[in-house]
Amino acid sequence: MTVKLTNPIFEKLGMRYPIVQGGMAWAGTGKLAGSVSEAGGLGIIGTGYWHADQVRKEIRRARAITDRPFGVNVMLMSRHIREVFDVVIEEGVQVVATGAGDPSPFIDELHAHGISVIPVVPSVGLARMMEKKGVDAVVAEGMESGGHIGSLSTMTIVPQVVGAVDIPVIAAGGIADGRGAAAAVMLGASGIQMGTRFLASEESEVHENFKRAVIKAKDIDTVVTGELLGSRARVLKTKMSKNYIKQERFEITKPKPDADAVEELENGSLRRAVVDGNKETGAFMAGQVSGMITELKPVAQILEETWQEASDLLEKY
Ligand SMILES: Cc1cc2nc3c(=O)[nH]c(=O)nc-3n(C[C@H](O)[C@H](O)[C@H](O)COP(=O)(O)O)c2cc1C
């Protein structure tokens, strides 16, 4: 027996598990997203700063794997944002998730094409604003998570967002198994989102060095870069991230980098980790749960085990 959560979007999408694979720039490929959706979760392609043609290619790779709905995570700060939305609409994608930024200008247009909109929010204020603008659900993400982060923990942001809005809240950040999933449900979430757990899956296409680094990592092996430059990201401790933090402290008196420099830093360094597995220059974005992940698993097993364990715990207590 597994527990069934009430979540209108998940019902509309026909998902077997209330589990979303969070969009991850470079790492959330069509293969990973398609495999998660095919196995009964909701897979999301991460598009980061990609051009429209790269986005279209990954959407088609996902579609070759599954007929089930999957989503696209759009980086609202990307310069290619308009063309990416055009591709998402043309290709008939059913869900758009958004990371950094305010998706308000695009919500009505996406809804007019039957696309559900699910922004990630790091605070109650943004969750309330998104509800007013008519989004279908929000992802309340704590700073335990891999990638760009806010300042609240999952334990504190989820119940506060749940208390503030009437739309479904999906909990993210620090969840890698059924214990975390059950805890999120107890906090009021009607779904969970995992990122780091899916990096270390068989279907994940991140470089072997990246997968190995997640599996080897201990509880205290992540650090936050960008504290002083305003774009905080949780990454694995490597020579690169430790140097970055040192440099950041030293460089704080210099003028802020321009948009091109930030794009190169964020997009370029993540690509060097995901595609090249380069420990010298790559940013291995991963969450605090890395310390709990000790083996590669197929996505179907991750979904099944996570929800079975969560259900057993929820029924027991
Ligand atoms: C390598 C990596 C890249 C990510 N890129 C994005 C992104 O482009 N957009 C976004 O909204 N979230 C991004 N995230 C966050 C995930 O979608 C997800 O919310 C997060 O990983 C959940 O926390 P967890 O890592 O503790 O499971 C990224 C996470 C990782 C690990």
Side-chain angles (χ1 to χ4, degrees):
M1 264 276 292
T2 54
V3 169
K4 196 162 170 3
L5 300 181
T6 307
N7 185 325
I9 299 211
F10 290 179
E11 276 156 34
K12 180 176 146 198
L13 297 172
M15 289 159 61
R16 203 173 326 137
Y17 305 105
I19 301 178
V20 179
Q21 167 253 312
M24 296 181 277
W26 289 106
T29 58
K31 179 177 175 192
L32 179 63
S35 304
V36 170
S37 285
E38 180 61 15
L42 177 66
I44 299 193
I45 297 169
T47 62
Y49 291 91
W50 278 351
H51 293 271
D53 49 358
Q54 287 170 290
V55 176
R56 196 187 299 277
K57 186 172 144 225
E58 293 303 317
I59 291 173
R60 293 190 176 172
R61 285 183 78 211
R63 187 127 310 126
I65 293 171
T66 190
D67 292 331
R68 304 176 75 88
F70 55 85
V72 168
N73 180 286
V74 176
M75 236 289 281
L76 293 157
M77 269 139 49
S78 162
R79 280 178 268 196
H80 314 297
I81 188 76
R82 183 62 256 173
E83 48 181 285
V84 167
F85 276 126
D86 289 342
V87 167
V88 163
I89 292 166
E90 281 162 28
E91 293 289 325
V93 169
Q94 277 147 299
V95 178
V96 161
T98 60
D102 176 6
S104 303
F106 304 101
I107 294 172
D108 289 346
E109 182 188 1
L110 293 169
H111 278 166
H113 287 91
I115 301 173
S116 302
V117 183
I118 310 181
V120 176
V121 295
S123 67
V124 166
L126 195 59
R128 281 212 176 100
M129 185 179 130
M130 289 296 101
E131 181 182 37
K132 273 206 198 105
K133 303 276 183 185
V135 301
D136 302 272
V138 287
V139 175
E141 187 188 71
M143 47 76 89
E144 297 92 323
S145 77
H148 288 104
I149 54 170
S151 54
L152 295 173
S153 64
T154 301
M155 185 74 118
T156 56
I157 190 176
V158 173
Q160 293 187 73
V161 170
V162 167
V165 299
D166 288 324
I167 50 178
V169 177
I170 298 160
I175 304 171
D177 63 17
R179 296 170 299 173
V185 173
M186 298 308 283
L187 296 176
S190 45
I192 62 148
Q193 170 162 308
M194 301 191 284
T196 305
R197 176 61 268 191
F198 286 111
L199 287 177
S201 66
E202 282 179 8
E203 292 84 345
S204 156
E205 294 181 279
V206 304
H207 196 280
E208 278 309 307
N209 289 352
F210 202 156
K211 292 189 184 183
R212 239 179 284 129
V214 170
I215 286 171
K216 258 182 63 190
K218 298 190 300 296
D219 54 351
I220 54 169
D221 282 348
T222 67
V223 284
V224 178
T225 55
E227 290 275 16
L228 301 177
L229 291 177
S231 183
R232 304 169 75 229
R234 185 173 299 286
V235 298
L236 292 177
K237 264 186 208 164
T238 56
K239 208 155 90 189
M240 185 273 184
S241 56
K242 284 192 245 167
N243 275 344
Y244 183 97
I245 291 171
K246 256 194 228 149
Q247 253 181 32
E248 215 182 337
R249 292 201 179 120
F250 178 67
E251 304 261 324
I252 192 67
T253 48
K254 292 196 179 162
K256 276 201 165 191
D258 63 16
D260 285 341
V262 170
E263 180 170 329
E264 163 47 27
L265 195 69
E266 299 203 340
N267 190 36
S269 60
L270 181 57
R271 181 183 49 72
R272 287 192 290 277
V274 171
V275 180
D276 308 334
N278 188 330
K279 293 213 174 132
E280 302 296 319
T281 61
F284 290 72
M285 291 184 173
Q288 292 180 332
V289 287
S290 299
M292 290 162 53
I293 297 171
T294 54
E295 57 178 321
L296 282 188
K297 290 180 182 177
V299 294
Q301 189 182 342
I302 294 173
L303 292 168
E304 206 275 321
E305 281 179 1
T306 302
W307 199 244
Q308 189 59 59
E309 186 185 19
S311 297
D312 291 347
L313 289 167
L314 291 166
E315 275 170 0
K316 188 158 127 198
Y317 292 105

